[in-house]
Amino acid sequence: MPAVAAEESPLKPINTSSPRTTLLGFIEFMNKGYGMGGGLIQSYLDSSRLYLTPEEMVTMRGSFHYQEAAQRVLDLSEVPPAMVNESARRLAIQLKEVLDRIDLPPVNSIPDAEEMAKSEFKRWTLPNSEIRLRRVETGPRAGEYLFSAETVKRLPEFYDKVKDLPYKPDASIGWNDFSSYSPVGVAIALYRIVPSRWLIDAPRYRVRTTFLGQPLWRWGGIVAVLGSGFAVVFLCFRLSRYGARRMISAQQWLTLLRPISVVAVTPVVAFILAEILRVSGIVYQVLILSLWTLFYLAFTWAVWVAGGAVAESLSNMEKLQVGSIDSQLIRLVMRLLTVVVAICILVAGADRVGLPAYSVLAGLGVGGLAVALAAQQTLANLLGSLIIMFEKPFAVGDSIKLKDLEGTVESVGFRSTRIRTLHNSLVTIPSSQLVNSTVDNLERREYRQIKAVLSLTYDTTSGKIEVFVEGIRHLLEAYPSTRKGNIEVVLHNLGQYSLDVLLNFFVKVPDREAELVERQRILLDILRLAETTGVQFAFPTQTLHIESFPEQKAAITALSDAFPKNN
C-alpha cells in the first residue's frame, strides 16, 4: 500500500518549549497566514470575478487559523479580556512587521530547551532590541516561553520606530497598513452581498485619510453602527413606557425590556466594531471598554428588575396581601438573590474591562464594612424583620398585644412593623425592639375569654342569688360556642355596695368582631334571666350618718326643702 503524506493538523500549535521554537514558530505561522491570505486576495483582484468563491473563503479561514495560532505566543495577560481579540490580531501583525525589518540572529545562537534548562534566568532578549521572551511561571501555560507582557505592551512603540526601515527578504510587505486601513473585515462579512473587490481595491486616498488613527470610511461605519444601536435601544424604551401605561399588571415585566435591549445591543455593536470595522488604537479602547461596561451595568439592572418582577408574580400567584409577611419574605429572598447575582456580574464585568477582580471584591468588602458600622441599628432592624418573617409570631391582620399596646398588624417591613390600635392610630415599632419584646398574639387563641363581675344589690336574698347563679351556668352550658367544663359563675365577693358574682368563661369564635357579638348575646340573656328571677343590679352609693352633728343636719334639711326631689 503506497504511503500517503500526512497533512498538517489544523489543531497543531506552535512549540513554545524554548525561545528558539517560539520565535521560529511565530514567524513560520505568520508567513503561512500571510501567504495564504495575501496570495488569495491578490489572485482574486487579478481575476475578473466579482465575488469570492466558497473555496477561497475556506482558504481565507485557513489563513486566519495560522494567524490565531501565532497570536497565542503573545503574553496578553495585561490586556483586558474585552480587547484581547483585536489587540492580539493587531499586535501580532506589528510584531511580524518589526521582525521583517530588523536583523535576526542565526538560529543556532537562539537558545533551545536544553540550553534554557541550564540557564539561571528563564528569559531571552532578541539581540540589539528590547523584545524579550520569558517563561511563564504560573497558570495553565506554565513552562511555555512567550513574548513577555512588557514586550507586547510596547509593540506599537517598536513598530513606530522601525516602520520606515526597508523590509528584509521574504517579508510580509504592507500587512499592517492593509489590516489597519482597508475594509477587509467588511468585505469578508458581506462577501455574498457586495463584491469584495469594490471594498478591498478602493483608491488609496480614500482609505488612508485618517482621523485619530482611523480612516474616514471607518468613522462613517462607527457613526452608523452606534446610531443604529441607539435607535434600537430608544425604540425599546418607548415601547416599554407605552406598554407599562397600557398594562399596569405587567408593568415590571415590561420595564425589563429596557435593560434587556441594552444587554442585547451592546455585544452586537462591540462585535461589529472589532471584527467587521476593525477599529483600532485609542478609539477602539474607548469604545469597546465603554460598551462592555455598559453591558455589565445593564445586565445588573436587568437582574435587579427581573428579581422584583418574579417576586411580584409569585405574590400575585399565591394571592398574598401586599404587606403580608409571606409577600415580604418572597421579596426579601428574591432581593438577596439578585444582590448576590448582581455582585457576581459586576465582578465579572470589572475583570473583563481590565479592573482586578480581587480589588473590586476588596473594595466591596471595605465598603460593606463601612456601611455596616454606620448603620448598625438599621441592620439590627433588618435582622429583626428576618426573624419575624421566618418565625412568624404573627401575620398581617392579627390582633396582638405588646406591653401597653394592643391593635391589628397592618404591615411587616424590612425595618419596622405597623400596628393599627383600637383608637385607630397607627403605631410604627422598630423590628429590633419588637423581636425583643413579649408579644401576645390574640388572634391565635382557640377560645376567647369573657370575664365580668355582676354586682347585685344587698337586699337580694340568698335564694335568688343561688337561682340566678345556677341559671347563668345552665345558660352558658347551652351555648354551642362556650367551652364546657370551664365555666365559672360564683358569688365571689361582698363588696362595699354590692354582692359580686364572678362570671368567667371562654367562647370559640374566629375573630374579635364575632367575640363582641357573642358577648352581647350572652349578656342580654343574663339581663333577661335577672328580670325573670327578680334580681337587681347595684350601682355605687354611700350613706352618710350625721346624727351627732345637729347644725350640719339642719343645713342639709334646709337644702333638701329648697330643692325638693322630682317624683
Side-chain angles (χ1 to χ4, degrees):
M1 185 173 180
V4 178
E7 294 184 0
E8 188 177 79
S9 171
L11 300 179
K12 179 184 177 181
I14 294 176
N15 183 357
T16 56
S17 60
S18 68
R20 179 189 298 179
T21 56
T22 297
L23 178 61
L24 296 181
F26 173 78
I27 294 174
E28 177 190 358
F29 273 56
M30 290 297 285
N31 283 337
K32 287 182 178 180
Y34 177 79
M36 293 177 66
L40 183 149
I41 291 175
Q42 189 60 50
S43 63
Y44 164 68
L45 294 177
D46 292 340
S47 70
S48 59
R49 290 179 288 105
L50 284 178
Y51 296 93
L52 290 167
T53 65
E55 293 77 13
E56 288 173 327
M57 290 305 302
V58 172
T59 303
M60 184 66 71
R61 282 191 285 272
S63 170
F64 293 156
H65 157 69
Y66 284 113
Q67 295 178 48
E68 291 167 359
Q71 293 163 15
R72 284 184 53 79
V73 303
L74 304 179
D75 185 353
L76 301 170
S77 59
E78 296 185 6
V79 177
M83 300 176 56
V84 163
N85 291 339
E86 188 279 338
S87 297
R89 179 176 59 244
R90 173 174 51 85
L91 294 172
I93 293 174
Q94 289 180 344
L95 176 59
K96 183 62 169 60
E97 290 268 7
V98 171
L99 297 177
D100 284 344
R101 287 178 166 88
I102 64 175
D103 294 322
L104 298 179
V107 173
N108 293 335
S109 66
I110 305 174
D112 58 11
E114 184 178 352
E115 292 172 324
M116 292 307 298
K118 299 176 182 179
S119 174
E120 180 182 358
F121 301 104
K122 306 303 180 183
R123 63 179 183 270
W124 178 76
T125 303
L126 194 66
N128 302 317
S129 76
E130 295 181 87
I131 299 175
R132 292 186 178 87
L133 289 95
R134 186 187 299 271
R135 191 177 74 171
V136 179
E137 300 297 337
T138 59
R141 304 194 67 181
E144 298 185 42
Y145 282 89
L146 307 178
F147 289 94
S148 67
E150 178 66 21
T151 298
V152 170
K153 182 180 180 180
R154 298 183 62 188
L155 278 175
E157 173 192 342
F158 297 157
Y159 172 74
D160 286 338
K161 290 180 178 180
V162 304
K163 65 181 179 181
D164 295 327
L165 297 178
Y167 283 105
K168 300 295 181 181
D170 301 324
S172 307
I173 300 174
W175 195 354
N176 186 70
D177 285 349
F178 180 79
S179 175
S180 299
Y181 302 112
S182 70
V184 62
V186 180
I188 294 173
L190 303 178
Y191 83 97
R192 294 180 181 274
I193 303 173
V194 179
S196 299
R197 65 172 62 253
W198 292 359
L199 300 172
I200 298 176
D201 201 23
R204 294 182 65 82
Y205 75 88
R206 289 171 56 188
V207 300
R208 290 300 299 271
T209 305
T210 63
F211 176 69
L212 293 180
Q214 312 300 313
L216 296 183
W217 69 264
R218 188 173 289 158
W219 279 111
I222 292 173
V223 172
V225 171
L226 293 179
S228 300
F230 177 79
V232 172
V233 172
F234 180 76
L235 178 61
C236 291
F237 270 64
R238 293 297 298 270
L239 288 175
S240 172
R241 187 178 303 171
Y242 176 79
R245 288 199 300 263
R246 293 280 181 156
M247 294 179 286
I248 303 299
S249 59
Q251 186 173 5
Q252 283 197 307
W253 287 108
L254 290 170
T255 303
L256 190 59
L257 180 61
R258 302 177 186 180
I260 286 180
S261 65
V262 180
V263 170
V265 167
T266 47
V268 176
V269 173
F271 174 81
I272 294 174
L273 294 178
E275 302 299 329
I276 297 179
L277 296 181
R278 297 197 174 185
V279 181
S280 60
I282 188 65
V283 177
Y284 174 82
Q285 183 176 353
V286 171
L287 289 177
I288 295 302
L289 294 183
S290 298
L291 285 170
W292 281 110
T293 300
L294 183 61
F295 169 83
Y296 282 101
L297 291 177
F299 198 1
T300 305
W301 180 17
V303 169
W304 189 264
V305 175
V310 170
E312 289 296 330
S313 298
L314 291 175
S315 298
N316 293 335
M317 287 174 59
E318 299 296 331
K319 298 181 180 179
L320 301 175
Q321 297 181 28
V322 175
S324 67
I325 293 180
D326 289 336
S327 67
Q328 294 284 8
L329 186 59
I330 290 174
R331 289 185 179 88
L332 178 62
V333 171
M334 290 305 304
R335 193 58 72 205
L336 291 176
L337 288 176
T338 53
V339 167
V340 172
V341 174
I343 291 175
C344 294
I345 292 172
L346 291 176
V347 171
D351 179 69
R352 185 166 180 81
V353 299
L355 297 177
Y358 291 112
S359 298
V360 175
L361 287 174
L364 290 174
V366 173
L369 179 61
V371 171
L373 292 175
Q376 294 184 24
Q377 190 59 41
T378 301
L379 293 177
N381 289 328
L382 176 61
L383 182 60
S385 297
L386 289 176
I387 294 174
I388 293 173
M389 290 176 182
F390 282 107
E391 292 189 356
K392 296 182 179 179
F394 50 80
V396 173
D398 284 359
S399 295
I400 64 172
K401 192 172 184 179
L402 180 68
K403 294 182 179 178
D404 298 330
L405 177 66
E406 182 177 351
T408 303
V409 179
E410 284 206 347
S411 67
V412 179
F414 295 137
R415 193 197 71 84
S416 61
T417 298
R418 294 183 177 182
I419 300 174
R420 180 72 65 178
T421 67
L422 300 178
H423 305 291
N424 202 36
S425 61
L426 187 63
V427 179
T428 300
I429 304 177
S431 297
S432 59
Q433 178 181 337
L434 185 62
V435 80
N436 291 321
S437 303
T438 301
V439 178
D440 184 3
N441 192 335
L442 305 178
E443 205 70 28
R444 301 287 176 88
R445 296 174 296 178
E446 184 180 3
Y447 292 91
R448 295 172 182 259
Q449 184 183 30
I450 297 178
K451 187 175 182 180
V453 175
L454 305 179
S455 299
L456 307 182
T457 58
Y458 262 99
D459 58 2
T460 306
T461 63
S462 59
K464 287 184 178 181
I465 292 176
E466 291 178 351
V467 172
F468 182 61
V469 168
E470 196 63 28
I472 293 176
R473 181 176 289 108
H474 288 305
L475 186 149
L476 294 177
E477 290 177 351
Y479 267 90
S481 61
T482 56
R483 183 179 182 180
K484 311 303 185 289
N486 196 21
I487 297 174
E488 296 179 352
V489 186
V490 294
L491 179 61
H492 177 64
N493 188 31
L494 301 177
Q496 293 182 357
Y497 57 85
S498 63
L499 303 172
D500 297 334
V501 176
L502 175 64
L503 183 61
N504 186 21
F505 61 96
F506 292 84
V507 292
K508 189 174 184 179
V509 288
D511 50 39
R512 177 172 174 77
E513 184 177 354
E515 175 191 353
L516 295 176
V517 171
E518 194 71 3
R519 183 188 186 100
Q520 176 179 284
R521 289 175 54 194
I522 292 174
L523 293 179
L524 288 175
D525 285 343
I526 291 175
L527 286 176
R528 297 186 187 100
L529 178 63
E531 293 173 357
T532 304
T533 56
V535 171
Q536 293 183 348
F537 295 102
F539 53 89
T541 59
Q542 287 185 341
T543 303
L544 181 62
H545 301 277
I546 55 176
E547 286 81 357
S548 302
F549 305 95
E551 295 84 0
Q552 288 84 347
K553 182 177 180 181
I556 292 174
T557 302
L559 288 173
S560 299
D561 294 339
F563 300 98
K565 294 182 179 179
N566 295 327
N567 294 328

